Amino acid sequence: MILAEAAIDTKFANISNVLVYSAMAVFLLAFLAYAAEWTFGGRSRVARQSAALAAKAGSSLGQAVADAEAEEVAARTAPTVAVKVTGAGGGTTTLTRTVAAKAGKVDVVTRGDAAPPVDGVGAAGGDEGADRIGRIAVSLTTLAALLDLCAVITRGISAHRPPWGNLYEFTVAVTMIASLLFVALLAAGKNVRWMGLPVTLGAVLGLGIAVTEFYVDSEQLVPALHSYWLWIHVSGAMVCGGALYAGAIAAILYVAKDVYESRKARGLTKEDGWWSDAFERLPASATLDKWSYRINAFVFPLWTFTIIAGAIWAEAAWGHYWEWDPTETWAFITWVAYACYLHARATAGWKGRKAAILVFVAFACYLFNAYGVSIFINGKHSYAGI
């Protein structure tokens, strides 16, 4: 026992702890930056009001101007924005925001002849500011992911073993993988910045729970875990965890965006709030549905391999491939849940909200398999250390 304790390098263990707290703080800053981007970004209020009024304009130019001038008197406190109205003869007339919106065929510009909005997405100044905040958020996420990576590495150096031998180390590594996968997708040119908010939120919550509820000092593993299969089996489970979390995020956002689009189509949604801007920044609901499906379909073979690798390791350690231990049982239940989801998508044509419900159930099974079993049920896989 003394030799095992002497083998622990407390200096690197302390460095790992500092890095975990640093990563959590930077993830929190990144989350706040993404929240600011979602709140203040999207289409500007002027552009949205102009587009909505222009779509409804059916009266003549003279009548529209007369009606709009009356409204403009009551709205003098609103900011003045210059607009250009193109007439039938090709000439242009500069009118106030509301007048031009009522007149129809509006190109909204800011003072200084800034470029008009493109594809209905915010005025130039507002979107540029939101984009700048979003870029800062991505930089912070990258920094936090690297700090998390260094925390995992130094934890492994401190104990001279793979740094995922208990629930604390597993959680820190999963947050690292999820954030690095997100950064890798961005580096590959994928338009997935919309995932930054939930990814960083999950990282903050995950690391927060890890340091407050799961933390144990760096120590040696129980004899059953001294195997090269620890590198293969547990690392596969961690990669699956990070990716399945991303798939669940896409499913949750799909449901939210689908509800928003449905209400908007029925005219039940007002387009003048920050939450409307946030929804407009998300991809279309069909795109989110495809993202969820593709992520889960990509990860499913890896989860299958992870279960098989665990069975091989169990035979080497305990002499049996499968004993229906609680962790083994819930790993199989998780596999069945995702298999049902993929089968329903491929054969029954289940898409949209029905498919999203299956994703929620399957991911809940994964969470219980990874955490619930270790916390609430005693078994051969109870290595949580809490």
Side-chain angles (χ1 to χ4, degrees), residues 11 34 42 47 51 58 85 100 110 127 140 142 151 166 184 234 282 298 334 344:
K11 179 180 69 174
Y34 285 119
V85 179
T110 58
D127 248 22
L140 290 171
T142 304
N166 51 60
V234 182
L282 287 174
F298 176 79
T334 302

Side-chain angles (χ1 to χ4, degrees), residues 178-250:
S179 56
L180 286 177
L181 287 174
F182 169 66
V183 172
L185 288 173
L186 288 174
K190 302 298 183 181
N191 184 21
V192 293
R193 202 161 80 187
W194 49 270
M195 293 183 66
L197 185 71
V199 166
T200 52
L201 175 61
V204 170
L205 294 177
L207 292 177
I209 294 174
V211 299
T212 57
E213 300 296 333
F214 300 154
Y215 179 78
V216 291
D217 291 330
S218 181
E219 57 187 8
Q220 296 298 331
L221 301 175
V222 297
L225 295 181
H226 286 284
S227 172
Y228 61 88
W229 283 105
L230 180 64
W231 291 95
I232 301 172
H233 172 65
V234 182
S235 61
M238 292 187 305
V239 173
C240 289
L244 293 176
Y245 174 62
I249 287 174

Side-chain angles (χ1 to χ4, degrees), residues 66-147:
D67 294 340
E69 285 177 339
E71 294 181 10
E72 197 69 19
V73 172
R76 287 178 180 176
T77 57
T80 303
V81 178
V83 297
K84 295 180 180 179
V85 179
T86 304
T92 60
T93 302
T94 301
L95 301 175
T96 61
R97 172 188 52 156
T98 310
V99 174
K102 284 288 188 178
K105 292 186 177 181
V106 180
D107 286 334
V108 179
V109 297
T110 58
R111 290 186 179 92
D113 293 330
V118 179
D119 294 333
V121 179
D127 248 22
E128 287 178 1
D131 183 68
R132 189 178 301 111
I133 295 174
R135 292 178 183 275
I136 293 173
V138 171
S139 299
L140 290 171
T141 305
T142 304
L143 175 59
L146 293 176
L147 290 172

Side-chain angles (χ1 to χ4, degrees), residues 33-383:
Y34 285 119
E37 180 193 18
W38 280 44
T39 302
F40 303 113
R43 297 186 302 168
S44 68
R45 182 168 299 183
V46 172
R48 285 187 277 105
Q49 289 179 344
S50 298
L53 291 173
K56 295 179 181 179
S59 60
S60 64
L61 176 61
Q63 184 61 42
V65 171
D67 294 340
E69 285 177 339
E71 294 181 10
E72 197 69 19
V73 172
R76 287 178 180 176
T77 57
T80 303
V81 178
V83 297
K84 295 180 180 179
V85 179
T86 304
T92 60
T93 302
T94 301
L95 301 175
T96 61
R97 172 188 52 156
T98 310
V99 174
K102 284 288 188 178
K105 292 186 177 181
V106 180
D107 286 334
V108 179
V109 297
T110 58
R111 290 186 179 92
D113 293 330
V118 179
D119 294 333
V121 179
D127 248 22
E128 287 178 1
D131 183 68
R132 189 178 301 111
I133 295 174
R135 292 178 183 275
I136 293 173
V138 171
S139 299
L140 290 171
T141 305
T142 304
L143 175 59
L146 293 176
L147 290 172
D148 204 349
L149 173 62
C150 292
V152 172
I153 293 174
T154 51
R155 179 80 172 192
I157 294 174
S158 71
H160 311 286
R161 59 168 175 79
W164 39 78
N166 51 60
L167 206 55
Y168 166 76
E169 296 172 351
F170 180 86
T171 304
V172 172
V174 168
T175 60
M176 173 201 70
I177 290 172
S179 56
L180 286 177
L181 287 174
F182 169 66
V183 172
L185 288 173
L186 288 174
K190 302 298 183 181
N191 184 21
V192 293
R193 202 161 80 187
W194 49 270
M195 293 183 66
L197 185 71
V199 166
T200 52
L201 175 61
V204 170
L205 294 177
L207 292 177
I209 294 174
V211 299
T212 57
E213 300 296 333
F214 300 154
Y215 179 78
V216 291
D217 291 330
S218 181
E219 57 187 8
Q220 296 298 331
L221 301 175
V222 297
L225 295 181
H226 286 284
S227 172
Y228 61 88
W229 283 105
L230 180 64
W231 291 95
I232 301 172
H233 172 65
V234 182
S235 61
M238 292 187 305
V239 173
C240 289
L244 293 176
Y245 174 62
I249 287 174
I252 292 172
L253 294 179
Y254 157 74
V255 172
K257 185 63 181 282
D258 187 56
V259 171
Y260 170 76
E261 289 178 346
S262 298
R263 290 178 59 85
K264 182 179 178 181
R266 297 196 304 268
L268 301 178
T269 299
K270 295 181 179 180
E271 299 186 14
D272 58 355
W274 66 265
W275 55 272
S276 179
D277 286 336
F279 278 117
E280 291 294 339
R281 297 191 72 84
L282 287 174
S285 59
T287 301
L288 292 169
D289 188 34
K290 290 179 181 178
W291 264 105
S292 178
Y293 171 70
R294 290 172 180 174
I295 292 173
N296 290 315
F298 176 79
V299 177
F300 183 73
L302 179 59
W303 182 247
T304 303
F305 169 78
T306 299
I307 294 176
I308 295 173
I312 297 173
W313 187 9
E315 195 279 331
W318 302 318
H320 300 280
Y321 287 103
W322 198 271
E323 292 186 295
W324 294 104
D325 177 80
T327 298
E328 295 171 349
T329 302
W330 277 96
F332 178 69
I333 292 173
T334 302
W335 185 90
V336 171
Y338 277 104
C340 290
Y341 162 71
L342 296 174
H343 179 74
R345 285 284 305 233
T347 60
W350 275 31
K351 296 182 181 180
R353 299 185 190 181
K354 293 189 294 184
I357 291 175
L358 290 180
V359 173
F360 300 154
V361 172
F363 187 65
C365 291
Y366 172 83
L367 288 178
F368 189 79
N369 176 56
Y371 293 96
V373 172
S374 295
I375 296 173
F376 301 112
I377 304 176
N378 291 323
K380 290 185 176 181
H381 290 79
S382 299
Y383 307 125

